[in-house]
Amino acid sequence: MALEDEWTCDANDALQITVVQPGDTKPKTLSTFHPQFTYPIFGDEEQIFGYKGLIIRLRFAAHDLRPHVHISYDDRFKAVGDIAATDLLGTLKEFVPEEALIKLPDYEKAVQQDSSAKDFTPPGKLVYSYEANERNYEIWAGSLADPDVRRILDRAQILVSLFIEAGTPLATDDPEWTLERWTVYFVYEKVTPPTPTASSYSIVGYATTYRYWLYQRDRSITPTVKDDAFPPPEIKLSELPSRLRIAQFLILPSHHRAGHGTHLYTTIHASCIADPTIIELTVEDPNESFDALRDTADFCLLQPEFVKRKVNINPDPSGAYSRKQRLRSVPTAELIPTDVLRDIRTSFKIEATQFAHILEMFLLGQIPPSHRLAGGTNLARLLIKKGKAEDPNDRRYYWWRMLTKQRLFKKHKELLQELELIDRVEKLDDTVRNVEEGYEITLNAVEGRLPAADEAAPAPRNSRNKRKLAIEDDEDEDENGTEAAKRPKV
């Protein structure tokens, strides 16, 4: 066995995260779990050198996330020249607050004797309460300019590196006007205090959002030069038209598969709809698991409105089928009610690409399964018949594919135009098929045939890129020939 192998361990296995609360004599553990990633801390290989039997315990107090790091091991490698064991405390100092590095007895005493725990309430204001599995939960929201919000978020920052791929901890030492752009949402469970002085709150997860200015020109007003006073009056960012962006979104693994992610997302979305200054809700670089959660939540929100407004694909645009006319091109407005859809999108403040995904999913669901690819429809025959197919559902499916291809082509026009025509057609067909398969998964979930999408484990490998443009390139493959993680969203 090589020296490196003998003294190297997997960082994901070595690091244990625990949530604790006061016990009879010392803190007791509520839950324990391992990180999903450690590469931001220990490098791309996620390996730690120089220890045998290594355990890194990262503890958090359940109510206020008071942190602590404790390191234990059976043996440590004695340095030989330039080869030395990893400096664990030195490495972790960049990711945890200084208060996390106190001695274990001092930490346990602080948790056991926290005089403020009994009266603790999450910072901010209570915005939503709900029940799940006969347990009670609350969602609180507060500005990052609030010192209490900032303190808890600072303690939680390392979780971004451990559970959010490519996630970046927030800079909380910015000027106050910048911090005011940020709102933090905390999800807490209301629990029975384990001791008379303990808190009745236990952390479940959190999300961060920020607003950025959205320029909107009033075209009814002719631009003019104004001789206004200088300097101009103070402008509050909270009063300007803005987009709201979800930046970080995390539910602790011990609370997965209980719907907390959906409750948190819909609470954020509801706050956007209620705020007249927010024009649109967006998400910063979502991963596949969050895409699934968001799609399910948005679909359940929009489906009743689509049904109410009788949104569907017109199977006979321009009367071409009924009059047996030759149909060369069809305006989108003849296939779907674009004005109605524009009104729905702006009312629900959903970003355009996300709205297109939900609309395509809904329109696909309006076509009987037997007339879709998943139901075994004869695609080769349909591509010959096209808009002249006898069954209106076959025509709807044909036009659904055309609408989806149109959107994909517009989004990736420059990339696709680099291909030969035959390759372009083939790649678009492959991508539409992938998109449809992904939509079928969500449709099955919302119709109760599969477990609901939630903030649980990552999406299966074979569904990782259902929305990704199916164009392969040598630069997009790793050593095993699998697709790179980063792809243009479609």
Side-chain angles (χ1 to χ4, degrees):
M1 179 181 293
L3 176 66
E4 184 175 346
D5 294 337
E6 182 181 359
W7 289 94
T8 299
C9 64
D10 186 291
N12 293 338
D13 292 336
L15 183 57
Q16 297 179 3
I17 304 161
T18 61
V19 178
V20 301
Q21 64 180 9
D24 293 334
T25 57
K26 66 178 183 177
K28 67 176 183 178
T29 298
L30 289 178
S31 60
T32 300
F33 42 90
H34 292 277
Q36 189 171 350
F37 316 105
T38 50
Y39 66 84
I41 303 174
F42 296 107
D44 291 343
E45 299 300 321
E46 298 184 324
Q47 300 286 305
I48 299 174
F49 174 76
Y51 302 88
K52 291 182 180 179
L54 176 65
I55 299 177
I56 304 173
R57 292 183 176 87
L58 177 59
R59 292 182 174 92
F60 291 99
H63 66 295
D64 64 358
L65 297 185
R66 181 193 296 267
H68 182 253
V69 174
H70 181 259
I71 300 171
S72 63
Y73 48 83
D74 297 332
D75 198 5
R76 175 172 174 164
F77 180 77
K78 296 179 180 179
V80 178
D82 294 335
I83 304 176
T86 302
D87 179 5
L88 296 175
L89 284 179
T91 301
L92 290 168
K93 278 182 179 179
E94 298 182 22
F95 296 88
V96 296
E98 187 70 25
E99 63 178 330
L101 304 178
I102 64 175
K103 295 180 180 180
L104 179 59
D106 293 335
Y107 176 76
E108 292 184 342
K109 180 179 179 181
V111 172
Q112 286 291 107
Q113 300 179 8
D114 185 354
S115 59
S116 63
K118 182 179 180 181
D119 298 323
F120 172 86
T121 57
K125 63 179 181 179
L126 177 64
V127 293
Y128 184 63
S129 302
Y130 62 96
E131 292 185 12
N133 299 324
E134 299 182 348
R135 296 160 75 173
N136 298 315
Y137 300 89
E138 296 178 352
I139 298 178
W140 293 68
S143 168
L144 195 54
D146 182 340
D148 293 331
V149 172
R150 198 159 59 248
R151 179 169 63 98
I152 293 183
L153 185 64
D154 282 338
R155 290 172 169 178
Q157 292 273 42
I158 190 174
L159 297 175
V160 174
S161 300
L162 299 178
F163 291 100
I164 301 178
E165 189 169 8
T168 304
L170 301 183
T172 58
D173 56 354
D174 285 340
E176 185 170 338
W177 69 268
T178 298
L179 297 179
E180 288 176 350
R181 298 168 55 219
W182 290 87
T183 299
V184 184
Y185 291 81
F186 296 106
V187 185
Y188 275 92
E189 180 183 0
K190 286 296 296 292
V191 298
T192 301
T195 66
T197 60
S199 173
S200 59
Y201 285 93
S202 179
I203 191 70
V204 172
Y206 76 95
T208 60
T209 69
Y210 67 96
R211 54 189 299 150
Y212 58 102
W213 177 58
L214 175 63
Y215 173 69
Q216 289 188 304
R217 176 185 169 188
D218 187 348
R219 297 186 179 276
S220 64
I221 300 176
T222 303
T224 58
V225 177
K226 295 183 179 180
D227 186 19
D228 291 337
F230 186 85
E234 181 180 357
I235 299 176
K236 294 184 178 180
L237 290 175
S238 59
E239 297 174 355
L240 295 175
S242 305
R243 285 189 175 99
L244 190 74
R245 176 165 290 178
I246 298 175
Q248 300 166 340
F249 193 98
L250 175 65
I251 300 298
L252 297 183
S254 53
H255 291 280
H256 283 180
R257 306 305 281 178
H260 301 300
T262 300
H263 282 293
L264 179 54
Y265 173 77
T266 54
T267 298
I268 296 172
H269 197 168
S271 72
C272 289
I273 294 176
D275 186 340
T277 67
I278 298 296
I279 309 303
E280 194 172 79
L281 175 64
T282 65
V283 180
E284 183 177 304
D285 194 20
N287 61 22
E288 289 80 6
S289 295
F290 188 85
D291 272 336
L293 182 155
R294 183 188 185 193
D295 286 351
T296 303
D298 287 346
F299 184 90
C300 292
L301 178 69
L302 291 175
Q303 184 186 36
E305 188 68 15
F306 287 151
V307 172
K308 175 184 174 182
R309 305 288 285 270
K310 299 180 180 179
V311 173
N312 207 339
I313 296 175
N314 177 10
D316 191 18
S318 302
Y321 177 77
S322 58
R323 296 196 296 268
K324 303 300 181 183
Q325 294 177 348
R326 187 174 181 180
L327 198 57
R328 293 183 179 272
S329 62
V330 178
T332 303
E334 291 193 19
L335 288 169
I336 53 177
T338 52
D339 290 341
V340 170
L341 294 171
R342 187 180 302 109
D343 179 58
I344 295 174
R345 187 183 79 80
T346 55
S347 297
F348 285 86
K349 302 184 180 182
I350 295 179
E351 183 267 335
T353 301
Q354 174 66 5
F355 185 82
H357 292 153
I358 304 304
L359 174 63
E360 289 170 1
M361 196 185 312
F362 173 79
L363 294 174
L364 180 66
Q366 296 301 101
I367 302 169
S370 59
H371 295 266
R372 308 191 312 237
L373 190 63
T377 190
N378 190 330
L379 188 58
R381 183 174 181 274
L382 180 63
L383 294 178
I384 294 174
K385 290 281 189 177
K386 300 183 178 179
K388 297 181 180 180
E390 290 79 8
D391 193 304
N393 287 311
D394 286 336
R395 298 199 297 275
R396 283 193 175 94
Y397 182 57
Y398 170 76
W399 292 120
W400 180 87
R401 288 174 55 84
M402 293 301 102
L403 287 168
T404 305
K405 284 185 179 181
Q406 173 183 261
R407 179 180 63 81
L408 293 172
F409 184 82
K410 286 181 178 179
K411 186 172 180 64
H412 302 290
K413 183 177 180 179
E414 292 183 4
L415 184 60
L416 287 166
Q417 285 184 330
E418 295 177 2
L419 304 176
E420 297 291 335
L421 179 59
I422 188 170
D423 292 332
R424 190 186 309 162
V425 172
E426 179 183 349
K427 298 308 179 184
L428 269 176
D429 282 336
D430 289 344
T431 305
V432 170
R433 185 179 298 108
N434 286 341
V435 168
E436 183 175 350
E437 289 174 357
Y439 289 164
E440 292 286 1
I441 292 173
T442 304
L443 287 171
N444 283 334
V446 298
E447 292 171 7
R449 291 194 291 267
L450 289 177
D454 197 26
E455 65 291 323
R461 291 185 181 274
N462 61 358
S463 66
R464 234 181 112 78
N465 292 307
K466 293 301 183 187
R467 288 185 177 179
K468 308 304 179 184
L469 189 62
I471 295 180
E472 295 182 1
D473 186 89
D474 291 342
E475 295 179 355
D476 292 333
E477 296 185 1
D478 62 18
E479 295 177 353
N480 298 319
T482 57
E483 280 192 296
K486 294 296 182 181
R487 290 285 195 192
K489 283 195 69 177
V490 295

